[in-house]
């Protein structure tokens, strides 16, 4: 309805108020107008009726006075004593005047006159002494008759005095009169409730004869042009506004007598005005009450709306609002409910966004973002509290994933997440950083090693997925705030270095220490030095015999690389081989090792020993298409029969990309080279894939062999692996044989070959030669 005021948009409350006020004002003014009209008409009617009635009353009253005068005169005229006095008037004039005075006083006539039939004045009262000619017959007519004598006007009646009642002619006339001024008295005024005035009018000139007004008002009125009318008339005089009513009251011989009833307008409408006043008062009260009601109503409507506006503002600021206005109009309730459910929807969406942004969908664990965030919060909130940051990496997860399928791989990750969560105390925060990497923060404890120990123990049991039982290895690295870093990035880097140390050293877990970092820098430097080191002869091959368990004879040795660095001394292949694989330097290592092995073969053959050489090659070498060519060139260079070269490839290398591996192995196999699967039992090769491989031997991983004599589980595993190999027509090598008991067990299990410290440690060629001579059946 009203939405703008002076071009400005109004708020709901003002709109309601202005609307209400407008309605109330219109109703009030309309009512006032109607009432005013009605009461005015009514009052005017009343006043007019009053004036008419009053004028009739006055008329009747004066007529009554006239009648009294007339009837009294008539009675007197019939009186003989009066006739006698008239007849003796010439002589007894004084007696006549006395008698008349007496009679006049009796019926209240101030003035009198006795006139004979010739018009001669016989006797008069004092006021009538100047009376000369009077039209006695005009005064004899019934009703109100006026006589004007010396500018004075009298109500006058005349009666003929006759000799006998039947006489035609009058012998004399009796006149009785009352001055007009005496006719108007207080009783009369009170009776009419109006002011009464009698006026003489001749040719629109007015003279006041008698009036309840004082002379000043009379004077004002004398300028008003009056005429007889049936209606009320208005006179706007300088003193006031008057309403008056004029009627004729007979006439004198020369003028008309008018009766004027008048009143001050405000008096006449006094009751109407006070009524109107009260009405206005009432309407003002109604207006105020309505306005207050309007305020209450608009408040009751706008208050919850304003409150809701306040709430939406809070929601906009991201605050959570619990209390919504409960009672209100249905629409307000609806709006309130709508805002409430909107808030829930927003909260839900925010949670969803947060979940997507901060949670990993596979494990439902917090993700890297959340992890870093928590790390930052922890450092900001408790800068002096020590706490542990640990990284966990599932070993060879890519291979596991490729073997069991990605969806099963995801299930495995979920299970790992569950196991971590159920195994850790509540205050420990667990996240999945991505891929196969998990992270753990113990915000209440800086004992990193104990935490890592606990975490490592959680992975000792197998994971069961779709009736598949999976054993997984993990690498664990940890760092402590604030010993190993004060920033999230520093802590993460430290834990990461420790994690790699765990991976490289095959230790279940490693706590970061300064040397690891320098060592990792060192390792990188080493890689750049490796190629040069090969040329400079810093690397040598050590040889470890593989002994046939059937006859304790040695037909082959495994070639194991050793790096004696001029500055750092002995560097384990476990340390630099993975790095060389990563940097691609492994190619030089492999071709160097192959050449060394071929040379050594030729060397031993020259002294009559025909020892097959087992050389380790990596997964990277299998993708090198020039490898078969390099090998065949070496074989012909040293006239080495291909079956005297055994290439050891780890099970995981083969399973990383089975197709490429099978192609490469097929080529080498066709050349007559023997192939061996290293570290067997730790990977995930399936029987079906193994069947496709052109391999000759499997090497049971030393993890199952080292404690074979004492560990029954290992015995079952080794037995199974041997049976499996036999089934496929493959020979078996057990590595890591450290005692005679194991040798006996392995022999009984039908294992073909044994290798380990119990027989010999890997040794340089010149040191192993005597041992070989002793165990060789060549000579
Ligand atoms: P691998 O191929 O499994 O080699 C066997 C490892 O077991 C050798 O460690 C060997 O010294 C060790 N070993 C042998 N008998 C026993 C025993 O009775 N007890 C114990 N505890 N250990 C035993 P090494 O020489 O340190 O070599 C480590 C790994 O480095 C090798 O594992 C192999 O994967 C790699 N590697 C060594 N030389 C070369 C190489 O020339 N080329 C490539 N690509 N890898 C190599
Ligand atoms: Ca090996
Ligand atoms: Ca091995």
């Amino acid at each position: 309805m009203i939405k703008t005021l002076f071009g400005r948009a109004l708020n709901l409350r003002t709109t309601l108020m202005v609307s209400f006020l407008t309605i109330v004002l219109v109703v009030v003014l309309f009512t006032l107008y109607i009432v005013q009209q009605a009461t005015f008409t009514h009052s005017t009617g009343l006043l007019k009726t009053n004036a008419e009635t009053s004028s009739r009353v006055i008329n009747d009253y004066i007529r009554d006075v006239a009648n009294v005068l007339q009837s009294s005169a008539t009675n007197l005229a019939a009186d003989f004593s009066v006739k006698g006095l008239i007849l003796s008037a010439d002589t007894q004039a004084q007696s006549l005047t006395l008698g008349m005075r007496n009679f006049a006083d009796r019926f209240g006539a101030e003035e009198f006159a006795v006139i004979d039939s010739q018009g001669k004045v016989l006797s008069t009262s004092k006021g009538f002494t100047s009376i000369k000619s009077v039209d006695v017959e005009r005064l004899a007519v019934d009703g109100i008759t006026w006589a004007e004598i010396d500018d004075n006007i009298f109500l006058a009646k005349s009666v003929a005095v006759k000799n006998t009642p039947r006489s035609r002619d009058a012998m004399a006339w009796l006149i009785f009169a009352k001055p007009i001024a005496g006719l108007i008295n207080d009783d009369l005024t009170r009776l009419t409730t109006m002011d009464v005035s009698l006026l003489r009018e001749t040719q629109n000139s007015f003279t006041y004869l008698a009036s309840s007004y004082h002379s000043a008002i009379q004077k004002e009125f004398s300028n008003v042009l009056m005429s007889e009318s049936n209606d009320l008339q208005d006179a706007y005089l300088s003193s006031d506004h008057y309403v008056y009513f004029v009627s004729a009251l007979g006439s004198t011989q020369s003028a008309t007598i008018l009766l004027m009833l008048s009143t001050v307008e405000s008096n006449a409408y006094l009751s109407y005005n006070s009524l109107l006043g009260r009405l206005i008062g009432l309407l003002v009260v109604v207006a105020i009450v309505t306005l207050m009601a309007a305020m209450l109503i608009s408040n009751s409507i706008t208050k919850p709306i304003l409150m809701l506006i306040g709430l939406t503002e809070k929601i906009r600021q991201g605050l959570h609002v619990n209390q919504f206005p409960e009672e209100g109009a249905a629409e307000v309730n609806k709006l309130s409910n709508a805002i409430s459910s909107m808030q829930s929807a927003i909260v839900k969406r925010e949670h969803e966004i947060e979940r997507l942004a901060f949670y990993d969908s596979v494990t439902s664990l917090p993700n890297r973002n959340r992890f870093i965030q928590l790390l930052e919060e922890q450092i900001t909130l408790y800068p002096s509290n020590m706490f542990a940051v640990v990284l966990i990496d599932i070993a060879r997860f890519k291979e596991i994933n490729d073997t069991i399928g990605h969806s099963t791989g995801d299930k495995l990750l979920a299970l790992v997440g569950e196991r971590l969560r159920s195994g850790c105390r509540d205050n420990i925060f667990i996240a999945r950083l991505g891929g196969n990497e998990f992270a753990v923060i113990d915000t209440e404890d800086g004992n990193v090693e104990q935490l890592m120990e606990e975490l490592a123990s959680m992975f000792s049991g197998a994971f069961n997925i779709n009736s598949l039982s999976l054993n997984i290895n993990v690498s664990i690295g940890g760092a402590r705030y604030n010993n190993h870093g004060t920033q999230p990035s520093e802590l993460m880097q430290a834990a990461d270095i420790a994690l790699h140390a765990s991976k490289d050293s095959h230790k279940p877990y490693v706590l970061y220490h300064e040397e690891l970092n320098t060592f990792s820098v060192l390792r990188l430097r080493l890689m750049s030095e490796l190629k040069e080191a090969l040329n400079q002869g810093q690397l040598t091959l050590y040889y470890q015999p593989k002994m046939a368990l059937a006859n304790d004879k040695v037909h082959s040795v495994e070639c194991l690389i050793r790096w004696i660095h001029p500055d750092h001394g002995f560097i384990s292949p476990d340390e630099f081989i993975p790095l060389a694989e990563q940097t691609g330097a492994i190619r030089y290592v492999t071709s160097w090792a192959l050449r060394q092995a071929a040379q050594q073969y030729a060397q031993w053959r020259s002294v009559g020993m025909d020892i097959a050489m087992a050389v380790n090659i990596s997964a990277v070498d299998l993708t090198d298409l020039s490898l078969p060519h390099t090998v065949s060139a070496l074989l012909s260079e040293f006239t080495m029969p291909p079956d005297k070269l055994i290439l050891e490839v780890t099970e995981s290398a083969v399973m990383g990309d089975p197709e490429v591996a099978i192609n490469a192995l097929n080529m080498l196999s066709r050349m007559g080279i023997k192939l061996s699967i290293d570290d067997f039992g730790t990977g995930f090769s399936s029987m079906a894939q193994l069947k496709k491989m052109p391999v000759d031997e499997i090497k049971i991983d030393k993890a199952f062999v080292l404690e074979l004599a004492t560990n029954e589980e290992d015995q079952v595993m080794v037995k199974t692996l041997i049976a499996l190999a036999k089934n496929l027509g493959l020979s078996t090598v057990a590595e890591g044989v450290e005692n005679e008991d194991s040798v006996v067990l392995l022999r009984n299990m039908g294992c073909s070959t044994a290798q380990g410290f119990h027989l010999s440690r890997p040794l340089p060629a010149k040191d192993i030669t005597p041992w070989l001579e002793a165990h060789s059946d060549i000579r």
Side-chain angles (χ1 to χ4, degrees):
M1 192 164 55
I2 299 163
K3 288 192 180 108
T4 54
L5 192 65
F6 310 122
R8 278 180 54 201
L10 291 181
N11 63 34
L12 183 58
R13 198 175 140 163
T14 317
T15 306
L16 282 170
M17 298 281 288
V18 170
S19 305
F20 267 109
L21 204 64
T22 311
I23 292 168
V24 167
L25 272 178
V26 166
V27 169
V28 162
L29 291 177
F30 185 70
T31 310
L32 270 178
Y33 175 75
I34 295 287
V35 169
Q36 194 262 349
Q37 286 296 306
T39 48
F40 181 77
T41 312
H42 182 68
S43 304
T44 313
L46 275 182
L47 189 66
K48 190 185 165 191
T49 313
N50 189 21
E52 281 169 351
T53 311
S54 299
S55 76
R56 220 169 16 246
V57 165
I58 291 168
N59 206 306
D60 287 352
Y61 166 75
I62 295 174
R63 188 182 300 273
D64 283 350
V65 173
N67 285 347
V68 169
L69 284 178
Q70 191 169 29
S71 60
S72 308
T74 307
N75 288 340
L76 200 62
D79 196 303
F80 286 103
S81 56
V82 173
K83 284 180 193 171
L85 284 172
I86 292 169
L87 289 174
S88 56
D90 288 341
T91 51
Q92 307 260 327
Q94 209 170 0
S95 306
L96 179 63
T97 304
L98 271 173
M100 283 302 284
R101 180 74 269 161
N102 201 11
F103 292 127
D105 287 345
R106 255 200 276 155
F107 44 79
E110 273 87 342
E111 307 296 344
F112 62 88
V114 183
I115 299 169
D116 72 6
S117 53
Q118 263 70 51
K120 186 188 165 208
V121 178
L122 301 180
S123 166
T124 66
S125 55
K126 275 182 188 143
F128 266 20
T129 44
S130 59
I131 191 168
K132 281 170 200 117
S133 63
V134 176
D135 184 357
V136 283
E137 290 191 5
R138 195 177 61 83
L139 299 179
V141 177
D142 281 351
I144 300 166
T145 49
W146 304 97
E148 202 170 344
I149 294 157
D150 289 346
D151 293 340
N152 291 321
I153 294 190
F154 300 89
L155 176 68
K157 296 308 296 180
S158 68
V159 175
V161 183
K162 294 176 178 173
N163 287 328
T164 61
R166 283 190 182 70
S167 304
R168 271 200 58 281
D169 300 316
M171 56 178 279
W173 293 85
L174 295 181
I175 300 170
F176 287 104
K178 272 173 165 286
I180 195 164
L183 293 174
I184 305 299
N185 54 38
D186 288 348
D187 290 341
L188 207 59
T189 316
R190 215 172 296 127
L191 196 72
T192 60
T193 69
M194 293 177 88
D195 285 297
V196 183
S197 306
L198 291 171
L199 303 98
R200 176 184 187 277
E201 188 233 329
T202 37
Q203 280 137 21
N204 289 336
S205 133
F206 303 93
T207 319
Y208 274 79
L209 307 170
S211 177
S212 51
Y213 286 133
H214 53 81
S215 57
I217 298 176
Q218 288 178 20
K219 209 176 156 207
E220 277 192 274
F221 260 109
S222 60
N223 294 325
V224 178
L225 210 60
M226 260 172 244
S227 62
E228 198 192 339
S229 166
N230 288 330
D231 274 320
L232 290 170
Q233 299 174 73
D234 290 287
Y236 296 92
L237 305 184
S238 55
S239 61
D240 218 326
H241 172 199
Y242 293 84
V243 183
Y244 65 91
F245 185 84
V246 177
S247 58
L249 211 61
S251 53
T252 67
Q253 56 270 40
S254 55
T256 311
I257 304 298
L258 296 176
L259 167 66
M260 182 185 81
L261 291 161
S262 59
T263 183
V264 173
E265 198 251 17
S266 55
N267 287 352
Y269 294 104
L270 187 66
S271 55
Y272 154 74
N273 280 341
S274 72
L275 174 74
L276 209 62
R278 255 178 279 165
L279 191 68
I280 290 172
L282 181 73
L283 289 175
V284 167
V285 169
V286 166
I288 290 170
V289 168
T290 313
L291 208 61
M292 278 162 66
M295 266 168 81
L296 281 178
I297 292 171
S298 70
N299 268 2
S300 75
I301 294 173
T302 54
K303 208 175 132 192
I305 290 179
L306 288 176
M307 192 170 163
L308 287 175
I309 290 171
L311 294 186
T312 53
E313 178 57 22
K314 278 190 182 166
I315 294 173
R316 192 188 67 74
Q317 289 168 0
L319 300 171
H320 188 79
V321 176
N322 294 319
Q323 272 189 321
F324 284 88
E326 275 160 17
E327 273 162 47
E331 289 82 357
V332 173
N333 285 348
K334 259 189 180 172
L335 183 62
S336 169
N337 289 340
I339 292 175
S340 172
S341 52
M342 185 187 79
Q343 174 177 253
S344 315
I346 289 172
V347 167
K348 215 171 138 193
R349 262 207 307 276
E350 276 178 351
H351 281 163
E352 182 61 16
I353 289 168
E354 192 188 76
R355 200 183 60 74
L356 289 175
F358 290 112
Y359 287 85
D360 163 50
S361 58
V362 175
T363 58
S364 303
L365 287 175
N367 63 12
R368 180 182 287 272
N369 292 341
R370 179 72 193 107
F371 178 78
I372 300 291
Q373 200 182 51
L374 184 104
L375 211 51
E376 283 166 352
E377 282 169 13
Q378 176 69 23
I379 293 172
T380 330
L381 292 176
Y382 312 102
S384 52
N385 282 18
M386 283 199 167
F387 65 88
V389 178
V390 174
L391 298 181
I392 305 169
D393 189 295
I394 302 173
R396 291 199 290 268
F397 182 70
K398 188 185 177 300
E399 295 141 38
I400 299 173
N401 225 356
D402 290 348
T403 311
I404 63 178
H406 281 264
S407 67
T408 320
D410 282 354
K411 275 184 197 154
L412 175 63
L413 289 171
L415 287 177
V416 169
E418 267 171 38
R419 191 173 286 189
L420 286 170
R421 209 159 23 195
S422 61
C424 288
R425 277 166 284 128
D426 280 351
N427 65 299
I428 292 181
F429 180 85
I430 304 156
R432 181 183 169 216
L433 301 188
N436 58 342
E437 212 175 19
F438 289 82
V440 174
I441 300 177
D442 185 350
T443 52
E444 287 172 12
D445 201 343
N447 191 342
V448 192
E449 274 170 309
Q450 191 193 315
L451 175 63
M452 290 194 293
E453 168 102 57
E454 283 167 17
L455 290 169
S457 70
M458 288 177 205
F459 291 92
S460 57
F463 289 86
N464 295 310
I465 315 165
N466 309 339
S467 72
L468 197 75
S469 182
L470 279 177
N471 274 297
I472 61 169
N473 291 317
V474 292
S475 309
I476 300 176
R480 186 187 304 115
Y481 175 85
N482 45 13
N483 301 14
H484 305 141
T486 53
Q487 295 302 311
S489 58
E490 290 170 4
L491 281 170
M492 289 294 280
Q493 204 183 357
D496 197 49
I497 288 168
L499 177 75
H500 277 97
S502 157
K503 219 184 267 184
D504 294 347
S505 64
H506 296 296
K507 284 184 189 157
Y509 56 86
V510 171
L511 174 64
Y512 174 83
H513 49 93
E514 199 58 36
E515 296 85 78
L516 279 181
N517 194 19
T518 47
F519 189 58
S520 67
V521 174
L522 181 79
R523 285 189 308 170
L524 284 174
R525 200 179 312 133
L526 280 182
M527 278 310 101
S528 64
E529 292 174 10
L530 181 59
K531 205 177 155 189
E532 196 53 32
L534 285 169
N535 295 334
Q536 287 175 1
Q538 287 180 22
L539 290 100
T540 45
L541 279 187
Y542 275 37
Y543 304 95
Q544 189 177 34
K546 291 164 134 180
M547 189 179 78
L549 286 170
N551 53 11
D552 287 356
K553 296 291 180 199
V554 174
H555 300 114
S556 59
V557 290
E558 181 176 2
C559 308
L560 295 158
I561 202 162
R562 296 290 177 261
W563 185 356
I564 316 290
H565 193 276
D567 301 332
H568 308 296
F570 177 81
I571 304 170
S572 160
D574 275 331
E575 274 166 30
F576 71 86
I577 294 293
L579 277 175
E581 283 173 345
Q582 280 170 29
T583 58
I586 191 71
R587 284 171 173 224
Y588 310 110
V589 177
T590 303
S591 60
W592 177 86
L594 282 170
R595 172 163 287 273
Q596 286 294 310
Q599 258 175 359
Q600 188 56 48
Y601 171 78
Q603 178 72 39
W604 275 326
R605 195 187 44 196
S606 66
V607 294
M609 291 192 292
D610 193 14
I611 309 288
M613 309 298 275
V615 178
N616 291 287
I617 60 169
S618 80
V620 184
D621 295 317
L622 289 178
T623 62
D624 179 5
L625 296 175
S626 66
L627 181 71
H629 177 76
T630 316
V631 171
S632 75
L634 273 175
L635 292 179
S636 45
E637 185 183 342
F638 294 98
T639 49
M640 183 179 180
D643 64 345
K644 294 296 170 188
L645 181 63
I646 305 162
L647 295 180
E648 292 190 7
V649 191
T650 60
E651 186 184 18
S652 55
V654 174
M655 290 308 146
D657 195 343
E659 246 172 76
V660 174
I662 288 172
N663 273 339
L665 295 178
N666 272 332
M667 251 191 267
L668 295 165
S669 175
R670 273 198 293 270
M671 287 161 60
I673 290 159
K674 300 282 172 217
L675 296 171
S676 177
I677 302 282
D678 208 349
D679 300 346
F680 194 78
T682 58
F684 296 90
S685 35
S686 68
M687 283 285 287
Q689 275 166 331
L690 201 57
K691 264 185 190 165
K692 287 192 221 158
M693 307 274 177
V695 292
D696 304 281
E697 139 193 302
I698 59 162
K699 290 188 76 175
I700 299 168
D701 193 75
K702 59 177 179 283
F704 306 109
V705 182
L706 291 172
E707 286 155 23
L708 185 69
T710 52
N711 189 322
E712 281 179 21
E713 269 179 45
D714 286 348
Q715 291 169 13
V716 174
M717 184 68 181
V718 171
K719 218 184 236 173
T720 311
L721 291 175
I722 293 169
L724 175 72
K726 271 202 178 142
N727 225 335
L728 295 167
L730 307 174
S731 59
T732 42
V733 180
E735 62 173 20
V737 178
E738 292 192 345
N739 49 57
E740 186 56 30
D741 290 351
S742 299
V743 175
V744 174
L745 273 170
L746 287 164
R747 189 178 286 126
N748 291 341
M749 286 173 183
C751 181
S752 337
T753 310
Q755 178 187 353
F757 294 171
H758 177 62
L759 306 169
S760 170
R761 288 188 170 261
L763 294 170
K766 66 171 172 52
D767 296 334
I768 199 75
T769 306
W771 198 94
L772 287 176
E773 281 170 344
H775 290 82
S776 165
D777 56 356
I778 304 304
R779 283 203 252 195

